[in-house]
Every structure is written in C-alpha cells, then in structure tokens.
C-alpha cells in the first residue's frame, strides 16, 4: 500500500508585496532585493490535474482553486498589433483578488515574446500565484515541483513595485508611487499609462512636461534596434 502513496509537491509560487510597515514571516523569500518588498513562497493548491516529475496525476478533488489567468498583451514583432495571451511561456498568473480598492498595492509585470523582446509593463494586484502548465489530452495540468521552474520564470518575466492604488469619487484609477510619476492603467489591458491630471491647477506645465519625460524614460525606452529596454 505504501507504494501507492503520492506525496504531492508544491505546484504554485505565491507572490505578495510587503511594505516597510508590514514585514513578511520567515517562510517568504525575497524575489529580488529585500528593499523591493516583493516576496514569494512555494505552496500547494488544490487542483485535479498535476504533472509531477513528468508523471501525469489525476486527483478527485471536489474543491479546487479557481484560476483566472492574467491576460498579457504581447506583440509578435515590435510595432505590430498586440494580442492577448494567457499562458506565455506556459506560465499562468492568477490574481488572488479581482476587486480594486483604494490602498491596494499595485505591482507591474511584463514578459517577453517568443523572440525574447520585452513587452509593455502591466498593472497587477499585489497578491497573485504563478503556475507552470502543460496542456495534454485537452486538459491543463500544473507542473510540480514549482521550485524547478523559478529560474525559467525569472528569465521570461519581470516584476517591480508600482505604487498604491487610488480611486477617486468618480472611480478614476491612479497609482501613486515613489517615482513621483502619477500613473493609471487601462482596465481592459492593464497596460500602464500616463495620467495627465489636466484638471489639477496646482500642477504647472513645466512639471507636467518633466513628469511626462520621466514616464517615457521608464516605460517606453528602446535600444538602437527598436527593442524595448
């Protein structure tokens, strides 16, 4: 009977942003510099289709996590129309919360297309899971142990802190960060956009131009071959 026992391994990387006022517990691992505040930890989520060490496993889970894939905007070639991809490089990112509220920490995530070119930064909520997937026989399987996929994830994705979400009385969305750039994002594509704040009479024209230039430098810089930096 002991030979039939399957010890399930972690199939998800749980990411979370921690501010200076909210320190993580010891089981959280910094994704980059500790000062960046982005941490992760491997975890096991309930899901019926698994591929563990290249062996397909089907579980009779009546309760399972509901994964709603984050939608990446990806261009096949720079300058062409972008398309929605839910499994770039066979990774799926699932946000743990779907509702926006003021004070929510916002991160930025981007991926590479299949030519290795970086794509636009998109807004993602400060808590989400990362899965590595395999599609076979019409089903999506989650790979484990997920720790084996971490370096490949780092190769194809970047994550950084954006700021704190602010919702106005009229539900306008802005991000207030440490870079002095007032940003917003499209609710459809999540792409980071500049927020001109044209109704703010206290923001003079020169400061607005300076901030616009800072935004372009941070979000729309390209090398001599036209590839996004």
């Amino acid at each position: 009977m002991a030979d039939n026992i399957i010890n399930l391994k972690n199939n998800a990387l749980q990411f979370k942003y921690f501010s200076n006022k909210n320190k993580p517990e010891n089981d959280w691992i910094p994704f980059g510099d500790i000062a960046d505040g982005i941490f992760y930890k491997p975890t096991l989520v309930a899901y019926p289709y698994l591929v563990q060490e290249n062996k397909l496993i089907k579980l009779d889970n009546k309760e399972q996590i509901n994964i709603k894939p984050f939608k990446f905007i990806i261009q096949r070639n720079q300058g062409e129309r972008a398309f929605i991809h839910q499994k770039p490089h066979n990774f799926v990112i699932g946000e743990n919360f779907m509702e926006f509220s003021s004070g929510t920490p916002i991160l930025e995530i981007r991926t590479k297309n299949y030519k290795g070119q970086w794509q636009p930064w998109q807004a993602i909520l400060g808590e989400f899971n990362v899965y590595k997937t395999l599609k076979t026989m019409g089903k999506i399987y989650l790979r484990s142990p997920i720790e084996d996929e971490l370096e490949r994830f780092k190769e194809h994705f970047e994550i950084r802190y954006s700021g704190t979400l602010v919702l106005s009385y009229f539900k306008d969305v802005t991000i207030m960060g440490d870079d002095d750039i007032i940003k917003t994002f499209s609710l459809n594509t999540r792409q980071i956009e500049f927020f001109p704040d044209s109704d703010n009479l206290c923001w003079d024209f020169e400061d607005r131009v300076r901030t616009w230039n800072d935004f372009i430098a941070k979000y729309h810089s390209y090398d001599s071959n036209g590839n996004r930096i």
Side-chain angles (χ1 to χ4, degrees):
M1 293 294 293
D3 293 339
N4 295 326
I5 297 176
I6 301 175
N7 293 318
L8 298 180
K9 298 183 179 181
N10 297 319
N11 55 14
L13 293 174
Q14 184 179 356
F15 278 77
K16 187 174 181 179
Y17 173 77
F18 291 89
S19 68
N20 293 331
K21 299 178 181 179
N22 184 21
K23 298 296 183 181
E25 297 177 355
N26 292 333
D27 55 345
W28 289 93
I29 305 167
F31 185 64
D33 294 335
I34 294 178
D36 294 338
I38 302 173
F39 290 76
Y40 74 93
K41 64 178 178 180
T43 188
L44 178 64
V45 300
Y47 192 81
Y49 301 101
L50 305 174
V51 52
Q52 182 165 292
E53 298 172 342
N54 294 321
K55 294 181 180 178
L56 299 180
I57 302 173
K58 170 65 172 71
L59 302 176
D60 294 326
N61 282 344
K62 294 183 179 180
E63 295 184 4
Q64 67 182 64
I65 191 169
N66 183 21
I67 302 174
K68 295 183 179 180
F70 184 84
K71 297 178 181 179
F72 287 91
I73 48 176
I74 298 178
Q75 298 170 313
R76 292 189 177 94
N77 296 288
Q78 298 288 9
E80 294 185 359
R81 178 184 176 187
F83 292 88
I84 298 296
H85 289 260
Q86 295 183 342
K87 300 196 304 298
H89 311 288
N90 292 317
F91 283 96
V92 170
I93 284 76
E95 289 174 300
N96 295 343
F97 302 102
M98 298 304 296
E99 295 184 0
F100 298 104
S101 59
S102 287
T104 299
I106 299 294
L107 301 179
E108 297 173 1
I109 189 170
R110 69 175 181 174
T111 187
K112 293 178 179 178
N113 64 12
Y114 291 95
K115 292 185 176 181
Q117 299 168 324
W118 285 114
Q119 301 302 292
W121 288 100
Q122 295 174 260
I124 188 169
L125 299 182
E127 292 189 38
F128 57 89
N129 287 353
V130 172
Y131 312 93
K132 183 67 183 296
T133 65
L134 170 70
K135 185 174 182 180
T136 182
M137 297 180 290
K139 302 293 184 182
I140 300 295
Y141 286 73
L142 300 186
R143 285 190 176 274
S144 62
I146 190 63
E147 294 91 331
D148 293 349
E149 309 295 341
L150 179 61
E151 291 307 314
R152 180 168 172 80
F153 178 76
K154 288 182 176 180
E155 179 183 352
H156 293 286
F157 295 82
E158 285 188 341
I159 304 169
R160 66 187 184 188
Y161 177 68
S162 185
T164 301
L165 182 69
V166 177
L167 291 178
S168 73
Y169 178 80
F170 300 101
K171 300 300 182 181
D172 292 326
V173 176
T174 55
I175 303 173
M176 304 300 294
D178 299 329
D179 51 11
D180 294 328
I181 302 174
I182 304 178
K183 299 160 287 190
T184 184
F185 57 88
S186 166
L187 294 178
N188 293 322
T189 67
R190 297 286 190 90
Q191 184 169 348
I192 300 293
E193 300 173 351
F194 182 70
F195 186 76
D197 199 15
S198 56
D199 294 331
N200 186 352
L201 300 179
C202 298
W203 197 17
D204 61 37
F205 178 76
E206 288 77 11
D207 284 343
R208 187 176 286 111
V209 171
R210 177 186 56 79
T211 305
W212 166 252
N213 290 333
D214 291 343
F215 175 83
I216 292 298
K218 187 171 183 178
Y219 293 94
H220 293 278
S221 291
Y222 301 86
D223 64 19
S224 59
N225 294 318
N227 297 316
R228 189 185 298 269
I229 299 174

